Amino acid sequence: MPRTDVDSEGSYRCEVSTDAPTFRTVKGEREMRIYVNPSTRPIIKGTKNYYAPGELVNVTCISAPSRPAAFLKWWINGLEASMDQIIRLEPQESSDGLFTSKLILKFVARPGHFWEGKMKVQCEAIISQAHTLRSEEIIITNNSATTATGAYDQQKDGPSITGGKRAYKVGDTVDINCTVAKSTPPAELHWYINDKEARNDYLVNRPPAVGPDGEELTVLGLKFTVRQRHFQKQEMRLRCTATLSEVKRMTSEPLEAVLSEQQKSDLHVDLNTSSVSNKSSWKPTTLDSLWSIFVFLISRILIRKTQH
């Protein structure tokens, strides 16, 4: 396969069978995923250079095409925007299999949003890339248990299977563990029985373990009672996988909106009445008034200290 594209994504399997009298089969399988990182930072559309308190801020963050779709976040003055301030749109898929994500930020500007007369808005694109490592495969018959350890099947740093018995028969209990080195974010473990993902009631969440070198390990148990249906062609195959994720982050250029000059000149604080008057059409709330008074008093104190 000299060249790959999004159509190359999928499962690839190799199968080797022996002749009579055993007719045993060994399989190897890999999942191929295609990742495309955004070529540029996310951009912000619908911006203005100046905003006044009481004015609606309505901007859209747009990610560059990627695969998988980017997850977007909005930040206002370094704090993540609340859920009631954002509108998340469905990613749009292009003809080449890439996705464009959009996230709308909509809120009413308040005096508290302007720090030293400026409000900083920024969006972030997060791309999660996952790859899966396979354990060795245990093949169980009615009288023995063997391990398929072909180089094609077990991967370096992949999960390992521990516990269990040499042989199982119908009615016995399988109680084994899948273990992998701890990672950030943690690996996602899965158990498979005869190439089908194990039922949830077969899974046992184990506490983290400590390996021989002192490293912390992530563990997922598999426990079930053997039934005749678990044997296919007189054998039962068990394996586990560990899916690791790598997170990439890209942030937009910050939007620094300035408090409009008209609003700066229109605001007037009357210390005698403890109120804020405004010649413009903006009607301040009680919280806005208190904030303006607080800012005014602090500035007066700083001026007096400077004079002394």
Side-chain angles (χ1 to χ4, degrees):
M1 189 179 291
R3 184 177 180 275
T4 59
D5 54 29
V6 294
D7 294 327
S8 306
E9 192 168 84
S11 297
Y12 292 79
R13 173 180 293 184
C14 174
E15 183 175 303
V16 179
S17 300
T18 61
D19 293 330
T22 58
F23 296 105
R24 296 191 60 181
T25 300
V26 178
K27 300 177 182 179
E29 183 178 343
R30 289 290 182 272
E31 182 80 17
M32 179 185 288
R33 297 185 183 182
I34 304 298
Y35 296 102
V36 180
N37 289 325
S39 58
T40 61
R41 293 181 174 189
I43 60 174
I44 301 175
K45 292 287 189 179
T47 62
K48 295 169 55 178
N49 292 329
Y50 299 95
Y51 286 92
E55 190 173 353
L56 179 66
V57 178
N58 187 358
V59 291
T60 303
C61 177
I62 305 174
S63 71
S66 65
R67 186 180 181 90
F71 181 81
L72 302 179
K73 287 184 177 182
W74 273 109
W75 301 85
I76 306 173
N77 295 326
L79 300 176
E80 187 174 353
S82 59
M83 293 299 296
D84 61 337
Q85 294 175 321
I86 63 174
I87 302 174
R88 193 172 298 280
L89 305 178
E90 284 293 323
Q92 297 177 339
E93 184 176 5
S94 61
S95 58
D96 57 2
L98 303 184
F99 296 88
T100 299
S101 299
K102 294 183 180 181
L103 185 64
I104 297 173
L105 176 66
K106 184 182 291 188
F107 67 97
V108 176
R110 301 296 182 192
H113 289 129
F114 295 91
W115 296 2
E116 298 182 351
K118 292 183 179 181
M119 173 176 59
K120 183 178 178 180
V121 175
Q122 198 166 20
C123 75
E124 179 182 30
I126 302 172
I127 305 291
S128 179
Q129 299 182 353
H131 64 279
T132 300
L133 300 175
R134 291 166 53 101
S135 72
E136 60 192 8
E137 186 174 71
I138 295 179
I139 301 174
I140 299 172
T141 63
N142 287 328
N143 53 21
S144 66
T146 59
T147 302
T149 57
Y152 60 85
D153 200 33
Q154 188 176 18
Q155 296 168 275
K156 182 181 179 181
D157 300 326
S160 60
I161 299 175
T162 56
K165 302 189 301 182
R166 292 289 304 170
Y168 291 91
K169 61 180 183 295
V170 174
D172 288 349
T173 298
V174 173
D175 189 0
I176 54 180
N177 292 320
C178 177
T179 305
V180 70
K182 190 173 179 61
S183 60
T184 303
E188 186 177 320
L189 299 179
H190 296 269
W191 272 107
Y192 292 85
I193 303 174
N194 299 325
D195 295 328
K196 292 184 178 180
E197 190 162 2
R199 292 165 27 178
N200 287 335
D201 57 329
Y202 285 8
L203 305 180
V204 182
N205 291 313
R206 310 281 193 195
V210 178
D213 298 329
E215 75 275 20
E216 189 172 351
L217 306 175
T218 301
V219 184
L220 179 65
L222 178 69
K223 186 175 183 179
F224 65 97
T225 301
V226 178
R227 304 299 182 193
Q228 187 60 49
R229 67 176 183 273
H230 292 132
F231 289 97
Q232 296 182 1
K233 297 181 180 179
Q234 298 183 343
E235 65 181 25
M236 173 173 58
R237 301 191 312 278
L238 305 176
R239 64 177 171 87
C240 71
T241 63
T243 301
L244 305 174
S245 297
E246 180 183 356
V247 177
K248 297 182 180 294
R249 299 175 182 268
M250 301 179 73
T251 55
S252 68
E253 292 288 346
L255 163 66
E256 292 190 347
V258 180
L259 183 66
S260 67
E261 292 297 328
Q262 180 181 358
Q263 289 297 324
K264 289 180 181 179
S265 61
D266 284 349
L267 284 175
H268 173 69
V269 180
D270 189 342
L271 294 179
N272 295 324
T273 60
S274 299
S275 63
V276 178
S277 63
N278 193 328
K279 298 177 184 177
S280 69
S281 59
W282 171 58
K283 303 298 182 183
T285 63
T286 302
L287 182 60
D288 295 332
S289 301
L290 293 175
W291 174 258
S292 299
I293 293 171
F294 173 76
V295 172
F296 178 79
L297 291 175
I298 292 297
S299 63
R300 291 293 296 271
I301 292 172
L302 292 175
I303 292 173
R304 288 181 180 178
K305 285 185 176 181
T306 303
Q307 291 175 347
H308 289 297

